[in-house]
């Protein structure tokens, strides 16, 4: 995935200013693709220069007025091309798993407490996702775009479910290690 495609997706859902995009990234898209305020603004400039988006005309000229953007046909075509293209899964890179592997040779000091902290963080994220699901996807909400958005949320729920189960198992293993638990 790439930031330009995430921005094109967000703008096709709703034309927005850079600030509105940043807020939307913080609330929804950011759960699976994060970007800073600066990255978003830099990318908006590139997308506009490439003719994929345009600044919406202001209702009245005003100094310091925020610019809103919309996707042009070339931007929609680029997003459709990217969506249809094959892409291999990315290899997992997780520092916690690497730290566990390293603990096998240097010892586990401090690691159990961090596993507990990670477990709590994943439990909170899972609860947040489940609340979003309850609020935004009630039974019967099955328009095609809702079903696809729900599918993305379900992926997040499944990932957080995996991590909470795996971390619980890892902590049980730690309890059985010599000097553990």
């Amino acid at each position: 995935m790439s930031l330009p495609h995430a921005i094109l997706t967000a703008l096709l859902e709703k034309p927005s200013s850079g600030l509105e995009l940043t807020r939307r990234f913080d609330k929804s898209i950011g759960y699976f693709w994060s970007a800073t305020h600066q990255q978003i603004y830099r990318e908006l400039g590139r997308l506009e220069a490439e003719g994929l988006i345009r600044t919406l005309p202001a209702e009245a000229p005003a100094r310091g007025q925020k610019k809103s953007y919309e996707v042009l046909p070339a931007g929609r075509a680029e997003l459709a091309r990217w969506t249809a293209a094959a892409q291999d899964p990315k290899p997992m890179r997780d520092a916690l798993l690497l730290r566990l592997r390293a603990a096998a040779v240097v010892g586990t000091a401090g690691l159990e407490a961090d596993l507990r902290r990670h477990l709590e963080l994943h439990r909170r994220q899972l609860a947040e996702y489940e609340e979003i699901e309850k609020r935004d996807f009630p039974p019967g909400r099955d328009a095609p775009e809702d079903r696809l958005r729900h599918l993305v949320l379900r992926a997040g729920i499944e990932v957080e479910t995996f991590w909470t189960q795996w971390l619980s198992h890892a902590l049980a293993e730690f309890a059985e290690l010599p000097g553990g638990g």
Side-chain angles (χ1 to χ4, degrees):
M1 183 186 260
S2 67
L3 181 55
H5 297 104
I7 290 172
L8 288 171
T9 300
L11 289 175
L12 278 169
E13 291 173 344
K14 180 182 177 203
S16 305
S17 69
L19 181 58
E20 291 165 337
L21 281 172
T22 299
R23 288 180 181 146
R24 288 173 58 206
F25 267 72
D26 288 345
K27 290 182 181 175
S28 61
I29 294 171
Y31 287 124
F32 54 91
W33 192 264
S34 62
T36 66
H37 185 74
Q38 293 85 358
Q39 289 171 316
I40 290 170
Y41 274 93
R42 194 168 38 245
E43 200 57 52
L44 285 169
R46 279 191 212 128
L47 290 168
E48 192 169 25
E50 292 173 11
L52 301 179
I53 65 172
R54 74 175 180 121
T55 303
L56 288 170
E59 293 174 13
R63 185 178 166 109
Q65 182 178 13
K66 60 183 177 183
K67 295 193 277 185
S68 288
Y69 299 88
E70 72 176 352
V71 177
L72 295 170
R76 180 181 282 276
E78 168 52 25
L79 188 59
R81 182 210 58 76
W82 178 77
T83 301
Q87 194 171 49
D88 292 338
K90 300 290 181 217
M92 185 184 342
R93 292 178 58 176
D94 191 287
L96 180 63
L97 297 178
L98 183 56
R99 290 171 53 218
L100 272 172
R101 179 73 181 249
V105 292
V106 298
T108 61
L111 198 49
E112 184 175 359
D114 203 37
L115 288 172
R116 290 187 191 289
R117 187 180 70 81
H118 276 251
L119 178 57
E120 181 55 31
L121 291 170
H122 284 288
R123 283 180 174 156
R124 277 192 246 152
Q125 190 64 64
L126 178 57
E128 186 175 339
Y129 286 167
E130 288 173 338
E131 187 59 36
I132 292 169
E133 182 178 45
K134 203 181 316 179
R135 180 191 70 219
D136 294 350
F137 298 101
R141 187 168 178 185
D142 61 356
E145 59 274 8
D146 289 328
R147 291 175 68 179
L148 292 174
R149 288 182 185 118
H150 191 196
L151 193 57
V152 172
L153 178 61
R154 286 299 315 163
I157 289 170
E158 295 298 325
V159 166
E160 295 304 328
T161 298
F162 161 78
W163 280 112
T164 57
Q165 291 173 348
W166 183 86
L167 285 159
S168 295
H169 176 75
L171 286 164
E173 289 287 329
F174 260 72
E176 294 181 15
L177 294 175

